Amino acid sequence: MSCGEWRDGLDDLLVALPAVPRHDVTAFARAAAKMAAELPGPLLERLKALRTGQDGHGYLHVTDLPCAPGALPSTPDSRPAPLERPLLAMEGWLLAICTAMGVPTAYRELHSGSLIQDIYPSPNAHPLSAQSSTTALTLHSEMLYHRWRPDFLLLACSRADHDGAAGTTVAAARAALPLLGAAEREILREHRMTCGTDLAFRHTDGSSPQAHVLVVDGVPADPRLAFDRELLEPGDPSARRALQALSEALDEVTDTVRMRPGDLLILDNTRVVHGRTAFTPRWDGHDRWLHRTYARSLPRGPAGAEAAFPYQTKPFAPR
């Protein structure tokens, strides 16, 4: 969805955000929520359709947001972001749209609990990390092992990779599951599988806590998915075959989204899985630079609950 026709009005919205957002993240989140209410009506309608599961795709690619790419500093090479770093336009759009999707959510053990995280290539990154580059990230659900798993993952692009090769891969449960046999779908719905965790949530000795995950849930017409090729551990041969069939089906229905500066991607983490194609960094200060945050669906409660909790931080607990 292009926002090009609204660029002039959108430029004006950014002015209301804090110039140095990490000095007071709560104030930043509150200002972003006010900004979200002033987004163009057609964009808010598309966000609502995605938030309520009515869009039919499970993700939304927003393009042509004002981002002033010429004013960017060098791509980071360390984290978390410095407290003194001025606001980047795509960080503002990311958090504003995040508030339209739910409660912005940070995770205590991930990126030092940062609400908005820099995603950039690192030469020493683990192959399963978002900081990797020359190895593709396989399809997975974000934090499927976490009790407070995010409902939505949001990515914003300040700088693309030099060659335009990096792409976010996306595959929907609704498209993949009909390719499985009835017996395979039943196994995935009825048998919880053991699941390890990503590096950030492991014990200090490197061992992984164990979660127990139901891979497929929800009504057949609108299935929910919890999938990770690397972390799920099927308990018997039939479960292993069913998981392999699902993996192959997801490959068959995968789309690839290539993000440019000014692009923002919102993924329904319960209905689609995602990954990333490989790309080659140049380590010249101008490598790919994304920003990431998460949203959890608004809690049930009295009117005003959203204003009372501009964002939240969740500690790790396995499912």
Side-chain angles (χ1 to χ4, degrees), residues 3 5 21 24 48 53 57 88 90 122 135 148 183 195 208 219 224 244 279 289 305 317:
C3 293
E5 65 182 287
D24 188 340
K48 180 180 179 181
H57 301 288
L88 304 177
M90 293 312 298
S122 172
T135 301
W148 293 290
C195 184
S208 178
V219 298
R224 311 300 174 91
Q244 180 61 29
F279 65 100
W289 186 6

Side-chain angles (χ1 to χ4, degrees), residues 3 11 16 25 40 43 74 76 105 131-132 134 146 166 168 192 214 219 226 241 253 257 263-264 269 277 292:
C3 293
D11 268 326
V25 177
L43 175 57
S74 296
T105 302
Q131 313 294 131
S132 65
T134 55
H146 205 299
T168 301
R192 290 188 178 272
L214 196 61
V219 298
R241 288 191 295 270
V253 301
V257 178
D263 286 9
L264 196 149
N269 193 44
T277 62
R292 179 177 68 187

Side-chain angles (χ1 to χ4, degrees), residues 8 28 34 73 94 98 107 120 122 133 149 184 186 188 219 250 264 289 293 303 309:
D8 291 342
F28 181 27
K34 291 180 180 179
L94 182 72
C98 182
Y107 291 88
Y120 54 86
S122 172
S133 53
R149 168 188 174 185
E184 293 165 331
E186 193 68 16
L188 296 173
V219 298
L250 288 167
L264 196 149
W289 186 6
T293 196
F309 302 100

Side-chain angles (χ1 to χ4, degrees), residues 196-278:
T197 68
D198 291 307
L199 297 175
F201 302 102
R202 294 183 183 177
H203 299 303
T204 54
D205 64 2
S207 62
S208 178
Q210 297 295 295
H212 298 89
V213 173
L214 196 61
V215 177
V216 178
D217 200 1
V219 298
D222 186 21
R224 311 300 174 91
L225 189 61
F227 176 80
D228 192 306
R229 285 181 178 149
E230 307 296 336
L231 298 179
L232 284 169
E233 301 173 10
D236 58 59
S238 63
R240 188 172 296 108
R241 288 191 295 270
L243 192 65
Q244 180 61 29
L246 174 59
S247 180
E248 293 171 0
L250 288 167
D251 282 339
E252 288 190 40
V253 301
T254 295
D255 296 329
T256 301
V257 178
R258 287 186 167 82
M259 299 178 69
R260 307 296 302 169
D263 286 9
L264 196 149
L265 182 62
I266 311 115
L267 301 164
D268 184 332
N269 193 44
T270 67
R271 292 181 170 91
V272 303
V273 294
H274 69 283
R276 192 214 62 241
T277 62

